[in-house]
Amino acid sequence: MYGYQLRHEFEASTGATWPLNVGQVYTTLARLERDGLVAGDGEPDGDGRVTYRLTDAGHADVARWFTTPVTRERRQRDELAIKIAMALTTPGVDAHAVVQTQRTATLRSLQDLTRLKASADDVADQAWLLVLESMIFQAEAEVRWLDHCETRMTAAPGPAAPASVPAPATEEALS
Amino acid sequence: MYGYQLRHEFEASTGATWPLNVGQVYTTLARLERDGLVAGDGEPDGDGRVTYRLTDAGHADVARWFTTPVTRERRQRDELAIKIAMALTTPGVDAHAVVQTQRTATLRSLQDLTRLKASADDVADQAWLLVLESMIFQAEAEVRWLDHCETRMTAAPGPAAPASVPAPATEEALS
DNA sequence: CGACACATGTAACACGTTACATGATTTG
DNA sequence: CAAATCATGTAACGTGTTACATGTGTCG
């Protein structure tokens, strides 16, 4: 495939969920070629398109990617979880409020996603639909977790005294 | 707080979930100071520790971070969702197998997490427990979604012919 | 004609991350 | 004493991301 087409394919499969800057396709292609995973016909064809192909090493890489599950260790740090954890352990922060703000926001985005799914239910291709539903499932789990936080927090009161382990720093209230 | 302490606090709040290289604390502190969000007492104290404090701008930033919800747009691209979507749209890839491999892996990590939670249920502090439970909730949602993919896929058959939009590229089977 | 989509590319930044260097202090 | 922990820092890399430059073709 050629660069522009790759971007088109990506957005077709994942929808407008994660927009992809075209420039990034080319930088990435260049880096993949540098690493010997793809090879491009240097010259653009009649329509000014430069076709890239997977090398053997590239094929192997892709196959490995498909057969290797995404492990929990490889996952990115979860900003939300960190935020709530920090809200709990940071003196002067109303963790309750943080949870509530997040909850309403997540609920709102859940509505948006559901509406989006309803409107595109028959039209879209499988892949894009599944990606959408993945986000819905995640949002639902997020709400559930936030409610769970709520109950946990009301059960055990305020921020446990900060465990500044080696030497306690002077504590300043936030905001 | 000083660098080493920051790392300690982070790992105390999030557990061994996301290990944090100490070096990164110092690079980050330097960058935050460059941006005027923290200020450090240049000289190390008697114990060789360099204390950093939030500036006014830093306090504002933190407050903003706590009051602003994590929106779905700001979320990182989801590797798993992309992988499944690609497995569906890439000819020559057994999407069914990809889903199954992932499912068993996720189930396994779910077991690990549950075991971990059981073993640390009383000991640990709130924050670390909530982070753990966040991962559990996510893993559960993941399994549910994978099952959902399964049913969706068996309902509608094989990979829909690749929508190489502008000009069809020569199709090569993968692996 | 002017605007827009198609198509390729580059320069540059920021950030996460790691490997490494250095020294003090503690502890088995 | 040797090993581990505490504590600070730096050089370097890779990658995600963007803003910009450039040109062609199409269409109202």
Side-chain angles (χ1 to χ4, degrees), chain B residues 1 4 12 17 19 39-41 58 90-91 96 108-109 111 115 117 148 156 167 169 174:
Chain B
M1 295 191 179
Y4 221 81
T17 323
D41 324 354
T90 310
H96 191 84
R108 170 148 31 243
S109 88
Q111 285 178 0
R115 206 172 305 130
K117 181 190 165 189
H148 181 75
L174 272 163

Side-chain angles (χ1 to χ4, degrees), chain B residues 38-124:
Chain B
V38 301
D41 324 354
E43 298 306 301
D45 69 356
D47 297 327
R49 296 167 174 168
V50 182
T51 306
Y52 284 85
R53 282 187 172 74
L54 285 173
T55 63
D56 291 350
H59 270 109
D61 239 44
V62 173
R64 205 176 312 131
W65 186 64
F66 274 124
T67 51
T68 308
V70 180
T71 66
R72 218 133 282 278
E73 303 85 53
R74 285 202 61 270
R75 282 256 171 31
Q76 302 293 323
R77 296 204 175 92
D78 183 347
E79 181 180 352
L80 178 56
I82 292 175
K83 186 178 288 197
I84 304 296
M86 292 307 174
L88 275 176
T89 49
T90 310
V93 172
D94 184 0
H96 191 84
V98 176
V99 170
Q100 282 310 316
T101 311
Q102 182 67 48
R103 201 188 116 95
T104 52
T106 306
L107 270 184
R108 170 148 31 243
S109 88
L110 188 53
Q111 285 178 0
D112 294 346
L113 291 169
T114 313
R115 206 172 305 130
L116 200 58
K117 181 190 165 189
S119 76
D121 215 344
D122 36 34
V123 191

Side-chain angles (χ1 to χ4, degrees), chain A residues 2-4 22-23 26-27 31 48-50 52 77:
Chain A
Y2 57 93
Y4 220 80
V22 202
Y26 295 103
T27 53
R31 286 161 183 172
R49 295 165 174 169
V50 182
Y52 284 84
R77 296 203 175 94

Side-chain angles (χ1 to χ4, degrees), chain A residues 76-134:
Chain A
Q76 302 294 322
R77 296 203 175 94
D78 184 347
E79 181 181 350
L80 177 56
I82 293 176
K83 186 178 288 196
I84 304 296
M86 292 307 172
L88 275 176
T89 49
T90 310
V93 173
D94 183 0
H96 191 83
V98 177
V99 170
Q100 282 311 316
T101 311
Q102 181 68 45
R103 202 189 116 96
T104 52
T106 306
L107 270 184
R108 172 150 25 245
S109 87
L110 188 52
Q111 286 178 359
D112 293 346
L113 291 169
T114 313
R115 206 172 305 130
L116 200 59
K117 182 189 166 192
S119 75
D121 215 344
D122 35 34
V123 193
D125 46 332
Q126 285 283 321
W128 155 220
L129 222 175
L130 283 178
V131 171
L132 225 183
E133 286 168 335
S134 159

